[in-house]
Amino acid sequence: MELFNYSIEEEGLSVEKLLRDRWRLGRKTVHELRMADAVKLPDGGRVRWNELLPAGTALSIRLPEAVSDYVPEMGELDVIHEDPHCLVVHKPASLAVHPNDSGGTGTLMNRVIARFGPYVEHVHRLDKGTSGLVLIARHPVAKAVFDRMLEEKAIRRTYMAETPGPFNKRSGTISAPIGRDRHHATRRRVSPSGQQAVTHYEVISAKDGTSIVQLELDTGRTHQIRVHLAHLGHPIIGDVLYGGHTAGGWYRLHAARLAFIHPFTGKPLDIEDTVKPEWLP
């Protein structure tokens, strides 16, 4: 069982409120932690789950063992951030985040579990051709908390792309619903019947007929940035699926930064990828 310490920062928070309201864990997970007597004081003393605790109370939380079913496979892995609860790693273009089938290999998660197993789970995904940062949970409680933060837009994701330019407006918001393209198995398109999708963009630099664009997402639809930029008339260079010109190699989209308040330490994290594609200035 994995052990970590947590300090109650505010007056009047109980273990029950911490797990259910602050971290918003599911009933099954909370019940399992209660039955395992998993939350205690650092000296091993018991704490009542509904007792309102004073600020500064230290808790020792022991998590049930969990195992991910990824097959370990050694390979190059750039770890940008590491702590007991999460990892942020760089994914190269051409490498899928996870296998499509049980027992599959040749992906980022195979490499991550080989180094950090037995439990690791990605919080979000990048398309195979997109390079950049991927957030990975190191225990099931962290996975549940980060999933909720992602859903509530508490994790800020910043991307960079290179497109044909120039743009008519240096910055703006693309709000256009995205749905499946019935004429193509994997392609998406802007569709009135699709799911809401919002992308904010800002042109950072422009030269030689191309623009470097910084983008942030309010939603996380499949191929969202690729679809929205193509819809705007600026398909990503190399993204032939959405009308971009070939560029020799993968298309030019990079997940450059992740920012969030760490749910277990309370500290702000602003993590920038130190492995940059050659097309970025």
Side-chain angles (χ1 to χ4, degrees):
M1 301 181 79
E2 186 175 353
L3 182 70
F4 72 91
N5 295 322
Y6 183 82
S7 179
I8 299 292
E9 296 179 352
E10 62 189 62
E11 197 79 22
L13 189 67
S14 66
V15 172
E16 185 83 17
K17 286 179 177 288
L18 172 67
L19 300 182
R20 286 190 180 276
D21 299 339
R22 175 69 58 79
W23 293 349
R24 300 191 189 178
L25 301 182
R27 290 185 178 183
K28 180 180 178 182
T29 301
V30 173
H31 177 73
E32 288 175 350
L33 292 174
R34 183 193 289 271
M35 291 299 99
D37 198 18
V39 183
K40 294 185 177 182
L41 298 175
D43 61 3
R46 302 191 68 180
V47 57
R48 289 180 294 179
W49 279 44
N50 290 315
E51 177 184 357
L52 300 182
L53 302 171
T57 300
L59 299 173
S60 180
I61 302 174
R62 188 173 295 276
L63 301 175
E65 292 182 359
V67 177
S68 301
D69 61 2
Y70 303 113
V71 176
E73 182 180 45
M74 295 303 298
E76 183 178 351
L77 186 66
D78 293 298
V79 180
I80 310 302
H81 170 84
E82 175 184 353
D83 67 48
H85 310 284
C86 68
L87 305 165
V88 177
V89 303
H90 167 83
K91 185 192 83 67
S94 80
L95 187 69
V97 170
H98 62 87
N100 290 326
D101 303 306
S102 178
T105 57
T107 75
L108 181 72
M109 293 308 298
N110 298 112
R111 298 180 184 184
V112 173
I113 202 167
R115 186 184 299 189
F116 294 100
Y119 179 93
V120 288
E121 290 294 345
H122 59 90
V123 177
H124 62 109
R125 293 177 293 178
L126 299 178
D127 295 339
K128 185 175 181 179
T130 303
S131 63
L133 299 179
V134 177
L135 175 62
I136 296 169
R138 300 189 68 179
H139 55 76
V141 170
K143 178 66 164 68
V145 173
F146 282 120
D147 280 349
R148 186 262 303 169
M149 291 175 63
L150 191 67
E151 182 179 346
E152 295 183 348
K153 305 180 181 64
I155 300 175
R156 180 181 172 188
R157 295 169 287 166
T158 303
Y159 293 77
M160 305 297 289
E162 186 175 15
T163 76
F167 280 62
N168 291 328
K169 294 172 58 179
R170 190 168 184 85
S171 63
T173 296
I174 310 166
S175 181
I178 294 175
R180 291 183 177 273
D181 187 333
R182 61 180 180 174
H183 302 295
H184 195 285
T186 59
R187 192 164 54 205
R188 300 297 193 271
R189 66 185 183 91
V190 168
S191 169
S193 61
Q195 294 178 299
Q196 179 193 21
V198 178
T199 304
H200 307 283
Y201 74 89
E202 180 180 0
V203 178
I204 301 301
S205 64
K207 65 176 183 178
D208 300 329
T210 69
S211 295
I212 300 295
V213 188
Q214 179 175 292
L215 307 110
E216 293 187 6
L217 303 178
D218 281 356
T219 52
R221 308 305 178 201
T222 300
H223 298 181
Q224 178 173 321
I225 291 175
R226 300 165 64 188
V227 173
H228 272 176
L229 285 177
H231 177 68
L232 205 63
H234 295 276
I236 296 170
I237 292 174
D239 191 3
V240 294
L241 183 63
Y242 291 103
H245 297 299
T246 58
W250 295 88
Y251 55 80
R252 298 179 179 180
L253 178 61
H254 179 67
R257 177 173 289 178
L258 286 172
F260 54 90
I261 303 298
H262 197 299
F264 302 103
T265 67
K267 297 180 179 179
L269 290 180
D270 192 344
I271 302 166
E272 187 172 356
D273 198 349
T274 57
V275 184
K276 293 184 179 180
E278 60 182 12
W279 51 266
L280 272 181

